[in-house]
Amino acid sequence: MAQHDLGPGRLEAFSDGVIAIIVTIMVLELKLPEHVGEKGLVHGLLLPLTPKLVSYAMSFLVVAIMWVNHHALMATVRRATRTILWQNNHLLFWMSLIPFATGFLGENPRLPDAYAVYGFVLAASAGAFTLLRWHASTQGRDSPELSKVHRAVLGKSLLGTLLYAAAVPLAYVSIFASIAIFVAIPVMFFLPVFVGPATVNAD
Amino acid sequence: MAQHDLGPGRLEAFSDGVIAIIVTIMVLELKLPEHVGEKGLVHGLLLPLTPKLVSYAMSFLVVAIMWVNHHALMATVRRATRTILWQNNHLLFWMSLIPFATGFLGENPRLPDAYAVYGFVLAASAGAFTLLRWHASTQGRDSPELSKVHRAVLGKSLLGTLLYAAAVPLAYVSIFASIAIFVAIPVMFFLPVFVGPATVNAD
Amino acid sequence: MAQHDLGPGRLEAFSDGVIAIIVTIMVLELKLPEHVGEKGLVHGLLLPLTPKLVSYAMSFLVVAIMWVNHHALMATVRRATRTILWQNNHLLFWMSLIPFATGFLGENPRLPDAYAVYGFVLAASAGAFTLLRWHASTQGRDSPELSKVHRAVLGKSLLGTLLYAAAVPLAYVSIFASIAIFVAIPVMFFLPVFVGPATVNAD
Amino acid sequence: MAQHDLGPGRLEAFSDGVIAIIVTIMVLELKLPEHVGEKGLVHGLLLPLTPKLVSYAMSFLVVAIMWVNHHALMATVRRATRTILWQNNHLLFWMSLIPFATGFLGENPRLPDAYAVYGFVLAASAGAFTLLRWHASTQGRDSPELSKVHRAVLGKSLLGTLLYAAAVPLAYVSIFASIAIFVAIPVMFFLPVFVGPATVNAD
């Protein structure tokens, strides 16, 4: 039992709980529109909901990618050290602000501020994840194959963090520049995400 | 530990968390009616709440069936591959919209649009589940008995998906046609749900 | 892994998730009062919140007792059969209405209807738990000691169910009769709750 | 399986669920401000949100410290006795009020009552945790090293409880005295938190 508790088991359970709630409470931002009956499906429901649904789907994808990355990263962690516990709490703090940033963006799809806030929260989350991965990677030093994986994914993590950070000022130049970044990063991450677990699964 | 992490254990934990929250936040749609004291129990509480309670109970049953199916399906999965992780995330995305569709239906029990939206979300969820089951079934190929189960349940999954999809246009013909479908599918699924785990439990 | 999945492990994980959310979303009913500054702590905060806090504490205790009972009961279950899965889902459905009934009671502490609704939801939850326990007890038949425990606790479960049911009509005679029942049942359950796990722990 | 259920495993799972929700629903208090477009980022978003964000971050840190402490404490517990189950439920009850107290403080950053309520809820949570730790420590008596850890951390727990309690009356003298306490306790706890698991990890 004790041995189990010193493994990353409970850290994963807690993170899964927080991430599951983060993913799900974003749906609460999809407030029910009023008077759909009079306005009809398109003007009463679809048009007002579209920006909310798009930002929800985008955030769901980002959080799901982070969870898959977390899943792959923790599979390489042998002990939940104090540093890993707090790096993880730090990550969960920034991720817990994603529903707020998502709701704000869904409510104000034409407001540069909303894209700046969204970019800032995602940059902070990606940065916290990079820190966690960097620290966790120091545990896997003895396995050269694992180190290769970590180095590869760390590069992408850092790049993603910087791109999200760039989306903050860019939002005031053109919201479409920020949108391009928000769309590009999941695409960029999608494959590398699997390099991690795939290689890990391999050994 | 690592071995454990490569099993479907954490995928189940995350799915259980998301499904548990999906089931529970639907209750938040049961807003407290005002002035029940003046209007009395029947007109102040029961009449306004009935459509909400009925749509909540219906969705609770659908989500519970999906959870039981998920439970039975994952018991046959040996490794959480990248494809299974993402098929599962895709399923959770559509399921996460069920509370919204349920609340919209509970608020507008006479509006065809509400039945169309509800049918669409359930069709997408059932379709995502069918994809996940189809992919997972390719892992069980080596066990002929398991394959037989998967083929049997896959047929029902596909049928349920098509029926929910049919409920979308039918809602504009008559909401009662959609209601008939929403009632028929849980009934239809109820037994097969148990064919799965039962057979699995058997070996 | 498969063996693990056929045990009650995942049923417990899902139940823990749902019960954890049930317990926690009741807190969302503790809406923040307005203008506390002008009205002062007592009239602005404490007086309006007291009925909400009392009904929250009462429901928290009831749900916690049910969780402890569930914990003790599942420790005696060897396999998550289809019947146990659905008896458990049935229990979770009624328990998921406790936050609504609690909020309604907290909003209307002088309304007999609120006590009737609260009594009805708790009677249904206790009844569902009695059914689950009765079915689970049939699995433990081979252990005479376990059967003795189940019989003892089943009696209390049934009594609690009937008392909660009695609180529904009694609310219209006097809300204090219902309050007496709501206070008496946790007291009555408190010791037996531990007979269960205690005896189970013993062997 | 049964053996597993008698361990602290499920108590941890339930506590993780409740704590994960407590942490996450605090974010729901970060209501979206209106008319940010007209008012601009600073006056429309940042200024109104700052007190809410600060109190959220402070509470997130407190709950995260409690979770890390809980994680370390439970790693020393061998059996989930009835007393530990109820000491834990008692802790979760008080912790479940933290989101309410946090929201109230975020809404009323100049109101002494808000600091008094926040101090009271945290004092009660810290007191419940002290009780749980004190009881759990009686299980570890046979390990002198563990007892030394428990005694060290128990002292800090008690001190934290008393300081939070002192913040209640001090709020009416000066809210800055309460703020000083709210900031000092996490700082004070931060290192000892790790004495616990560190020492535990050591053996």
Side-chain angles (χ1 to χ4, degrees), chain C residues 35-55:
Chain C
H35 316 300
V36 179
E38 298 86 86
K39 296 181 196 157
L41 184 61
V42 173
H43 292 80
L45 186 71
L46 296 187
L47 288 187
L49 273 185
T50 300
K52 289 190 175 70
L53 278 170
V54 171
S55 57

Side-chain angles (χ1 to χ4, degrees), chain A residues 1-12 74 77-82 84-85 139, chain B residues 1, chain D residues 12 68 70-77 146 194-203:
Chain A
M1 204 60 212
Q3 185 51 35
H4 158 79
D5 280 284
L6 304 182
R10 197 177 164 185
L11 180 143
E12 287 176 350
M74 286 305 142
V77 169
R78 262 163 287 113
R79 289 174 69 254
T81 63
R82 52 193 271 190
I84 283 183
L85 281 177
Q139 272 197 7
Chain B
M1 204 63 211
Chain D
E12 287 176 352
V68 171
H70 197 271
H71 179 92
L73 180 60
M74 285 305 142
T76 72
V77 169
L146 210 50
F194 301 122
V195 172
T199 318
V200 173
N201 291 351
D203 45 50

Side-chain angles (χ1 to χ4, degrees), chain D residues 111-129:
Chain D
L111 189 68
D113 297 334
Y115 292 85
V117 169
Y118 190 79
F120 173 78
V121 170
L122 290 196
S125 301
F129 199 103

Side-chain angles (χ1 to χ4, degrees), chain C residues 16-195:
Chain C
D16 285 348
V18 172
I19 296 173
I21 300 157
I22 287 169
V23 152
T24 324
I25 62 176
M26 285 195 287
V27 165
L28 295 176
E29 300 293 342
L30 299 175
K31 304 244 170 41
L32 290 167
E34 305 279 313
H35 316 300
V36 179
E38 298 86 86
K39 296 181 196 157
L41 184 61
V42 173
H43 292 80
L45 186 71
L46 296 187
L47 288 187
L49 273 185
T50 300
K52 289 190 175 70
L53 278 170
V54 171
S55 57
Y56 171 60
M58 186 164 67
S59 294
F60 187 99
L61 180 59
V62 170
V63 174
I65 287 173
M66 284 182 167
W67 178 76
V68 171
N69 276 321
H70 197 271
H71 179 94
L73 181 59
M74 285 306 143
T76 71
V77 169
R78 263 162 289 118
R79 289 173 71 252
T81 62
R82 53 192 274 188
T83 316
I84 283 182
L85 281 177
W86 282 102
Q87 295 268 16
N88 194 62
N89 288 338
H90 176 239
L91 169 65
L92 294 177
F93 173 75
W94 289 111
M95 285 182 77
S96 73
L97 296 176
I98 292 177
F100 171 79
T102 305
F104 186 50
L105 184 58
E107 291 277 349
N108 305 279
R110 284 184 189 72
L111 189 68
D113 297 335
Y115 292 85
V117 168
Y118 191 79
F120 174 78
V121 169
L122 290 196
S125 302
F129 199 102
T130 309
L131 279 174
L132 174 62
R133 183 181 289 281
W134 179 80
H135 180 78
S137 71
T138 62
Q139 272 195 10
R141 281 221 187 85
D142 47 2
S143 154
E145 188 169 357
L146 212 49
S147 306
K148 207 163 73 262
V149 177
H150 280 309
R151 269 196 305 279
V153 191
L154 261 175
K156 301 274 181 191
S157 284
L158 197 57
L159 178 56
T161 309
L162 298 174
L163 284 172
Y164 276 129
V168 177
L170 279 172
Y172 296 98
V173 181
S174 160
I175 62 173
F176 298 106
S178 304
I179 292 171
I181 288 174
F182 298 154
V183 170
I185 290 174
V187 172
M188 175 186 89
F189 262 90
F190 218 80
L191 285 164
V193 164
F194 300 123
V195 173

Side-chain angles (χ1 to χ4, degrees), chain A residues 20 135 203:
Chain A
H135 181 79
D203 44 52

Side-chain angles (χ1 to χ4, degrees), chain A residues 11 16 25 71 112 124 169-170:
Chain A
L11 180 143
D16 285 349
I25 63 175
H71 179 95
L170 279 172

